[in-house]
């Protein structure tokens, strides 16, 4: 079944050539027990390795079952070793980190035998070699003779046609040697056994045929065979190791050196830990910044006022002057100062108001329109009605009914935005109820306190409240307050001269049919502890109330009269057009707001709002453009960019430690390759392909990488707790360091990939190792 023809194998070391095989010609039968005798160094192992496909011959031919191996590819040799040949070595070569059963099944695992069959066959083989009762022991618990029996069982498990034994009893005592020889002789009944030995007694006692070998040549052959098969009946099945097998092999190997593996993982996880911490911190800081931004944004609405300054124009004016040297002459010139030059009057026309109201409701949920429309307000003080205002500044003229304008025009108070779908989310979001409740209707007004719970004293005085004890205020007294809002037609009486004077019969006005009743329903305080809030202290109402008043008064007699006259119908003063417009607005005859405030909820929304407002100005002349103010704008975008930059730098530093750990993993894998050289040899002898060997080490680095990644993430996560405690002490910010689960997963994946990459080169080196050399190593 096996024919060796002119087989040669020379080793060239320096100038000397060793002829390990020097024209070997021999034929072997299907069933016989051949012993090869020879002195040390005569080439016996080389012959066996060449026959077994662990080593290649230089020239000649090796014919297996009639098939020449001259054109064999790597994978054919792999399959041949796995299916056709079984090896037994002098030093057993049992893989110490696998248990006995796994050692025996390894070859079958490589050839893809299913688990049940594998176990059955392994048990049969172990029973046959007499180890039935030792199946579950570890290699370290067996004697030399027993280990050799395991090796024989491993060689037998795939039922090979050829059994190759290289000095199988060389390390055993005489009695054990006899037992093993008897076992091998028994196995030779149904296969070809070629055994190398330097013990002529044993050879004579057991072998059917003795070949004497010397200097790479056959000296004598006790029972030569002449037949050479020429039919090709050799078809070994190709082998393939699954990644699961590789993982198991590596895992059991790693388990045997737990301490070292843990330290390796710990060291190589440092990179992951530092990147994890940096990401957790920057993540938290970013969230903190975002939160502050959101607060800042609701603090600073996009504001459109009647008079504003064009900051671009101001900038360019200022820049023009900044870099100039002194003039050469002493001439003095007159020039508008840049601030004044940059002053811009916004034309807040009804069309513009309509345009603003068409902003996408998802971008601007809250819009507040402030009108200078006056309210004719009365309040019962000590049983008698008297005029009041919502003004927040000291207003001594309140008691002087001669000053008609001040008495009648209750301008003041602040306007809070109403959610554009009708709900008052703005107040609920930004204000906390100190007493009473949030307003629900247009005629319900609230009193705004600052963050120290203080209410503007002048606002209260202007509304007719008097105080003995300034400090303490009875909320019930305020919440019971009812204020009468009188229509122009009741409030102003037309004189025969055509002039109007305020009606002073307040009791009667309070009962007039058109008079509305306003109720103070709540006292609110800002919920933002960092500022005094958006609304000025004092009374606040929604623009719905203003609109109702305008509805009530737009066609009143005084408005009609004032519209058709350029003389103040109250005071007879001559009015220019601006003054007239102002007076008409105050009287409720003009619907132009003095200020529009648009409250976004996020950066994006604000960007949408400002670009929407910019669109209005497109193609308009400078005088017609409307310029808005966006205070929050510039600050926040800078902080965001800065945070990103810092994160990149820190991640960069942390990445250096990751590279260090990859190099370390490469070294560790390399060490492991050196340590496991014998194992690589055994795997090859059992038919493992180069790929399979690579896989075994890739599997090991996968476990290491995954382990160090997970370890790193766990440690980084644990470190966020002390980090947060320290940050809390330093900054009063809570939960700054937050490890994003997505980042954690990505980092584990990166760790695994990088570790596998780092270990892959040593793994490839391992795969390339010559099996014969690997098995000769100690
Ligand atoms: P034996 O098994 O009979 O003791 P070997 O087959 O191991 O002999 O070795 C035969 C000869 O080939 C010896 O001289 C040995 O030094 C040499 N040899 C074996 N392997 C190598 C090698 N990889 N490189 C160089 N010389 C080798
Ligand atoms: Mg030898």
């Amino acid at each position: 079944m096996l024919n060796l023809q002119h087989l040669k194998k020379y080793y060239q070391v320096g100038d000397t050539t060793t002829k390990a095989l020097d024209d070997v010609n021999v034929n072997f039968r299907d069933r016989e027990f051949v012993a090869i005798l020879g002195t040390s160094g005569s080439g016996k192992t080389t012959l066996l390795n060449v026959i077994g496909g662990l080593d290649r011959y230089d020239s000649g031919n090796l014919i297996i079952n009639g098939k020449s191996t001259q054109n064999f590819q790597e994978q054919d040799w792999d399959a041949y070793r796995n299916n056709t040949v079984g090896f037994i070595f002098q030093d057993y070569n049992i893989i110490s980190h696998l248990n006995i059963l796994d050692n025996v099944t390894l070859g079958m695992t490589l050839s893809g035998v299913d688990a049940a069959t594998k176990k059955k066959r392994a048990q049969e083989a172990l029973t046959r070699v007499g180890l039935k009762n030792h199946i579950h022991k570890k290699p370290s618990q067996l004697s030399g003779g027993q280990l050799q029996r395991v090796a024989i069982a491993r060689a037998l498990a795939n039922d090979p046609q050829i059994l190759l034994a290289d000095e199988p009893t060389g390390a055993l005592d005489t009695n054990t040697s006899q037992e093993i020889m008897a076992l091998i002789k028994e196995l030779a009944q149904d296969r070809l056994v070629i055994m190398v030995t330097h013990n002529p007694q044993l050879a004579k006692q057991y072998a059917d045929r003795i070949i004497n070998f010397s200097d790479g040549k056959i000296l004598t052959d006790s029972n030569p065979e002449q037949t050479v098969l020429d039919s090709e009946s050799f078809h070994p099945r190709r082998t393939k190791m699954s990644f699961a097998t590789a993982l198991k092999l590596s895992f059991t190997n790693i388990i045997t050196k737990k301490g070292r593996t843990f330290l390796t993982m710990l060291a190589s996880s440092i990179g992951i830990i530092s990147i994890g911490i940096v990401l957790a911190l920057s993540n938290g800081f970013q969230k903190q910044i975002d939160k502050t931004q959101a607060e800042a944004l609701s603090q600073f609405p996009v504001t459109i006022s009647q008079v504003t300054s064009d900051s671009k124009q101001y900038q360019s004016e200022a820049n023009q002057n900044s870099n100039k040297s002194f003039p050469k002459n002493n001439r003095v010139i007159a020039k508008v100062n840049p601030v004044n030059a940059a002053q811009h009057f916004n034309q807040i026309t009804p069309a513009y108001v309509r345009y603003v109201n068409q902003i996408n409701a998802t971008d601007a949920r809250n819009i507040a329109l402030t009108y200078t429309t006056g309210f004719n307000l009365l309040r019962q003080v000590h049983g008698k009605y008297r005029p009041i205002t919502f003004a927040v500044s000291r207003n001594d003229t309140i008691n002087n009914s001669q000053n008609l304008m001040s008495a009648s025009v209750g301008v003041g108070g602040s306007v809070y935005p109403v959610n554009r779908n009708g709900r008052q989310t703005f107040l609920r979001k930004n204000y906390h109820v100190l007493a009473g409740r949030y307003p629900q209707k247009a005629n319900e007004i609230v009193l705004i306190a600052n963050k120290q719970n203080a209410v503007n004293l002048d606002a209260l005085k202007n509304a007719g409240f008097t105080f003995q004890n300034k400090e303490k205020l009875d909320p019930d007294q305020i919440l019971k307050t009812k204020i009468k809002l009188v229509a122009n037609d009741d409030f102003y009486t037309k004189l025969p001269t055509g002039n109007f004077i305020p009606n002073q019969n307040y009791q009667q006005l309070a009962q007039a049919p058109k008079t509305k009743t306003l109720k103070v329903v709540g006292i609110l305080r800002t919920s933002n502890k960092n500022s005094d809030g958006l609304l000025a202290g004092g009374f606040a109402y929604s623009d719905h109330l203003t609109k109702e008043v305008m509805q009530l008064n737009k066609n009143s007699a005084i408005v009609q009269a004032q519209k058709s006259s350029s003389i103040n119908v109250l005071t007879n003063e001559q009015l220019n057009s601006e003054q007239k417009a102002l007076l008409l607005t105050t009287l409720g005859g003009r619907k132009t707001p003095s200020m529009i405030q648009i409250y976004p909820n996020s950066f994006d929304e604000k960007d949408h709002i400002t670009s929407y407002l910019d669109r209005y100005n497109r193609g308009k002349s400078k005088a017609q453009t409307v310029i808005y103010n966006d205070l929050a704008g510039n600050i926040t975008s800078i902080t965001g960019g800065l945070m990103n930059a810092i994160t990149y730098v820190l991640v960069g530093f942390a990445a250096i430690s990751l590279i260090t750990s990859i190099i370390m993993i490469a070294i560790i894998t390399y060490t492991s390759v050196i340590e496991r050289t014998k194992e690589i040899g055994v795997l090859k002898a059992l038919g493992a392909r180069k790929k399979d060997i690579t896989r075994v080490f890739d599997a090991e680095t996968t476990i290491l990488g995954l382990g160090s990644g997970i370890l790193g993430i766990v440690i980084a996560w644990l470190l966020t707790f002390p980090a947060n405690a320290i940050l809390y002490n330093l900054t009063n910010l809570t939960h700054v360091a937050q490890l994003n689960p997505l980042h954690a997963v990505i980092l584990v994946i990166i760790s695994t990939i990088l570790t596998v990459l780092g270990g892959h080169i040593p793994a490839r080196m391992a795969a390339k190792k010559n099996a014969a050399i690997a098995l000769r190593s100690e």
Side-chain angles (χ1 to χ4, degrees):
M1 81 156 298
L2 201 60
N3 313 105
L4 279 58
Q5 300 176 337
H6 307 290
L7 216 55
K8 283 186 185 165
K9 171 97 185 162
Y10 292 178
Y11 290 111
Q12 187 80 43
V13 179
D15 287 341
T16 51
T17 307
T18 309
K19 296 179 174 180
L21 298 180
D22 192 12
D23 196 23
V24 177
N25 289 287
V26 63
N27 301 316
F28 296 104
R29 300 177 183 87
D30 282 359
R31 288 177 189 76
E32 62 177 342
F33 187 178
V34 185
I36 296 178
L37 281 169
T39 50
S40 180
S42 57
K44 305 180 299 292
T45 299
T46 307
L47 179 68
L48 225 50
N49 285 346
V50 167
I51 292 175
L54 278 174
D55 216 348
R56 301 287 163 274
Y57 51 85
D58 294 339
S59 64
N61 199 3
L62 174 72
I63 301 165
I64 308 154
N65 277 335
K67 187 174 176 78
S68 164
T69 58
Q70 270 170 342
N71 296 320
F72 259 33
Q73 301 295 307
E74 197 71 40
Q75 58 222 32
D76 297 315
W77 285 117
D78 293 338
Y80 167 64
R81 286 197 309 275
N82 183 265
N83 292 265
T84 316
V85 198
F87 278 99
I88 306 167
F89 306 95
Q90 179 178 348
D91 44 4
Y92 334 127
N93 285 337
I94 296 299
I95 297 172
S96 57
H97 57 81
L98 292 182
N99 69 28
I100 288 161
L101 201 65
D102 286 337
N103 263 290
V104 175
T105 52
L106 202 53
M108 291 184 282
T109 308
L110 285 168
S111 55
V113 176
D114 67 274
T117 317
K118 251 182 355 191
K119 194 168 178 194
K120 198 176 132 258
R121 279 212 237 152
Q123 277 168 343
E124 279 168 12
L126 283 165
T127 310
R128 186 150 184 207
V129 301
L131 287 179
K132 198 180 174 186
N133 302 322
H134 304 272
I135 286 180
H136 297 292
K137 283 190 180 162
K138 284 184 195 139
S140 58
Q141 294 164 330
L142 296 185
S143 70
Q146 287 172 319
L147 284 174
Q148 194 59 294
R149 283 166 194 272
V150 175
I152 294 171
R154 179 176 65 190
L156 280 182
N158 252 354
D159 194 25
Q161 291 166 274
I162 306 168
L163 191 64
L164 303 174
D166 194 351
E167 304 194 28
T169 59
L172 301 173
D173 59 72
T174 322
N175 282 342
T176 321
S177 296
Q178 296 282 346
E179 287 168 31
I180 295 290
M181 287 309 291
L183 180 59
I184 293 176
K185 185 169 176 67
E186 193 190 316
L187 299 175
Q189 312 254 288
D190 42 9
R191 57 177 56 75
L192 166 64
V193 175
I194 303 173
M195 179 187 76
V196 163
T197 179
H198 50 241
N199 188 330
Q201 278 78 39
L202 280 181
K204 266 180 213 129
Q205 194 181 344
Y206 291 96
D208 309 326
R209 176 179 172 187
I210 295 174
I211 292 174
N212 271 298
F213 209 73
S214 176
D215 289 332
K217 289 190 178 81
I218 292 175
L219 287 184
T220 58
D221 187 341
S222 68
N223 187 10
E225 159 78 17
Q226 301 307 327
T227 20
V228 177
L229 268 171
D230 53 6
S231 68
E232 286 196 13
S233 59
F234 178 66
H235 302 288
R237 249 186 337 126
R238 296 204 166 159
T239 62
K240 187 174 184 299
M241 184 194 262
S242 71
F243 197 69
T245 307
L247 273 178
K248 182 179 178 181
L249 267 178
S250 301
F251 187 72
T252 51
N253 173 47
I254 280 174
I255 288 295
T256 59
K257 36 184 187 182
K258 287 190 202 81
R260 186 167 99 183
T261 307
F262 179 74
L263 284 178
T264 309
M265 284 183 179
L266 193 66
S268 61
S269 67
I270 289 168
I272 296 293
I273 296 173
S274 35
I275 294 181
I277 286 283
V278 169
L279 288 178
L281 282 175
S282 83
N283 189 19
F285 277 125
Q286 194 61 55
K287 272 191 185 156
Q288 213 72 43
I289 288 173
D290 289 348
K291 215 172 108 193
T292 323
Q293 273 179 5
E295 274 167 20
L297 284 170
S298 67
Q299 286 293 310
F300 301 113
V302 177
T303 303
I304 300 136
S305 319
Q306 274 175 325
V307 181
T308 184
S309 85
D310 185 342
S311 57
K312 276 183 214 142
Q313 164 131 12
Y314 176 77
Q315 281 295 325
S316 69
E317 291 269 340
N319 286 347
Q320 267 177 27
N321 292 343
S322 64
N323 288 329
K324 279 184 186 162
S325 51
F326 291 116
K328 301 258 183 318
N329 54 49
N330 284 344
R331 242 183 301 137
V332 179
I333 53 167
K335 205 179 169 205
V336 186
N337 94 27
V339 177
N340 290 355
Q343 199 169 54
H344 180 86
F345 293 90
N346 281 328
Q347 311 246 340
I348 308 180
T349 58
Y352 188 75
V353 175
R354 251 179 279 127
Y355 182 79
V356 168
N357 275 325
Q358 277 158 16
I359 294 184
N360 198 336
T362 54
D363 292 332
R365 260 163 266 214
N366 300 304
I367 298 178
L369 299 177
T370 304
Y371 298 87
T372 48
T373 306
F375 298 165
N376 311 313
L377 300 174
L378 300 175
R379 202 184 139 238
Q380 213 169 20
V381 180
H382 304 305
K384 281 174 72 185
Y385 279 101
R386 44 166 280 198
I388 61 157
T389 76
F390 286 157
V392 291
S393 56
R394 185 164 298 179
N395 191 348
D396 292 325
T397 54
I398 187 73
N399 297 320
N400 180 358
S401 53
Q402 295 305 308
N403 191 324
L404 302 169
M405 280 301 293
S406 310
S408 62
V409 178
V411 186
S414 35
V415 179
Y416 60 80
V418 173
N419 194 309
R420 296 172 76 210
N421 60 27
R423 277 182 288 127
Q424 281 158 3
T425 49
F426 178 86
L427 284 185
R428 284 178 195 277
K429 242 170 119 176
N430 299 297
Y431 282 86
H432 160 84
V433 174
L434 287 179
R437 59 171 170 83
Y438 290 109
Q440 278 151 5
K441 297 184 203 138
N443 72 337
E444 295 181 339
I445 60 176
V446 286
L447 195 56
I448 303 292
N450 74 6
K451 68 175 177 188
Q452 299 300 325
N453 288 5
V455 175
N456 185 311
L457 181 70
D458 290 321
L460 291 168
K461 278 187 177 167
N462 290 341
F465 292 95
T466 49
F467 295 97
Q468 276 79 46
N469 182 353
K470 278 186 207 174
E471 289 288 304
K472 260 198 193 143
L473 202 126
D474 177 10
D476 285 345
Q477 187 202 352
I478 289 165
L479 293 181
K480 265 186 237 153
T481 302
K482 288 201 174 87
I483 294 165
K484 297 289 179 185
L485 195 155
V486 186
N488 278 354
D489 282 342
D490 294 321
F491 198 77
Y492 295 106
T493 311
K494 193 174 183 180
L495 298 176
T497 59
N499 275 47
F500 288 80
I501 58 158
N503 188 339
Q504 307 233 354
N505 191 348
Y506 300 126
Q507 318 305 315
Q508 187 202 323
L509 287 179
Q511 315 303 328
K514 280 188 189 168
T515 297
K516 290 177 188 291
T517 305
L518 308 183
K519 286 182 221 157
V520 181
V521 295
I523 304 176
L524 308 183
R525 183 195 64 203
T526 175
S527 356
N528 181 349
K529 62 174 184 261
N530 297 323
S531 87
D532 261 341
L534 299 154
L535 303 172
F539 291 97
Y541 45 88
S542 78
D543 57 17
H544 288 323
L545 180 61
T546 323
K547 282 184 185 139
E548 280 190 12
V549 172
M550 286 191 289
Q551 192 60 33
L552 190 66
N553 292 336
K554 70 176 179 194
N555 294 322
S556 61
I558 188 170
V559 166
Q560 307 274 11
Q562 190 60 69
K563 269 187 181 164
S564 55
S565 167
S566 61
I567 286 169
N568 186 330
V569 294
L570 287 157
T571 62
N572 277 336
E573 278 170 318
Q574 185 70 37
L575 299 172
N576 64 26
S577 62
E578 266 174 35
Q579 289 168 322
K580 180 176 162 181
L582 200 64
L583 180 58
L584 270 174
T585 310
T586 312
L587 290 173
R590 256 181 107 238
K591 289 217 295 187
T592 310
S594 60
M595 183 162 74
I596 303 175
Q597 285 162 307
I598 307 167
Y599 294 85
N601 283 322
S602 74
F603 237 152
D604 281 351
E605 288 180 17
K606 205 192 60 201
D607 281 347
H608 292 161
I609 292 169
T610 51
S611 57
Y612 179 82
L613 294 179
D614 287 337
R615 243 174 284 148
Y616 178 82
N617 291 337
R618 223 174 269 167
K620 293 220 166 40
S621 71
K622 195 162 173 287
Q624 281 178 313
T625 58
V626 176
I627 295 173
Y628 56 81
N629 271 335
D630 172 20
L631 282 175
N634 308 328
I635 316 158
T636 40
S637 55
I638 294 169
T639 58
L642 200 65
M643 198 61 226
N644 281 344
I646 293 172
T647 308
Y648 291 143
V649 170
L650 291 179
V651 167
F653 277 118
I656 293 172
S657 51
L658 199 64
I659 290 168
T660 315
S661 57
I662 296 166
I663 294 171
M664 205 180 66
I665 289 284
I667 295 170
I668 299 271
T669 313
Y670 180 72
T671 319
S672 183
V673 166
I674 302 288
E675 274 180 1
R676 296 172 75 183
T677 303
K678 258 283 168 60
E679 188 181 333
I680 295 169
V682 174
L683 282 170
K684 285 224 166 156
L686 288 169
R689 301 166 304 165
K690 273 186 187 162
K691 244 189 230 173
D692 301 327
I693 305 295
T694 315
R695 261 189 195 173
V696 170
F697 289 94
D698 281 349
E700 184 168 321
T701 48
T702 304
I703 296 170
L704 278 179
L706 200 66
S708 63
I710 292 171
L711 189 68
I713 288 300
V714 169
I715 294 175
W717 176 72
L718 288 175
L719 284 176
T720 58
F721 293 98
N724 278 336
I726 293 168
L727 282 170
Y728 179 72
N729 277 335
L730 290 175
T731 63
N732 254 0
L733 298 174
T734 54
H735 301 299
V736 172
Q738 288 177 21
L739 194 60
N740 182 335
L742 181 69
H743 288 171
V745 171
I746 291 174
L747 280 177
V748 171
I749 293 172
I750 288 178
S751 160
T752 312
I753 291 175
L754 289 183
T755 312
V756 171
L757 285 181
H760 194 67
I761 293 165
R764 292 287 294 272
M765 284 167 48
K768 284 206 188 110
K769 264 188 198 286
N770 179 301
I773 294 174
L775 283 168
R776 279 174 197 268
S777 76
E778 273 318 304

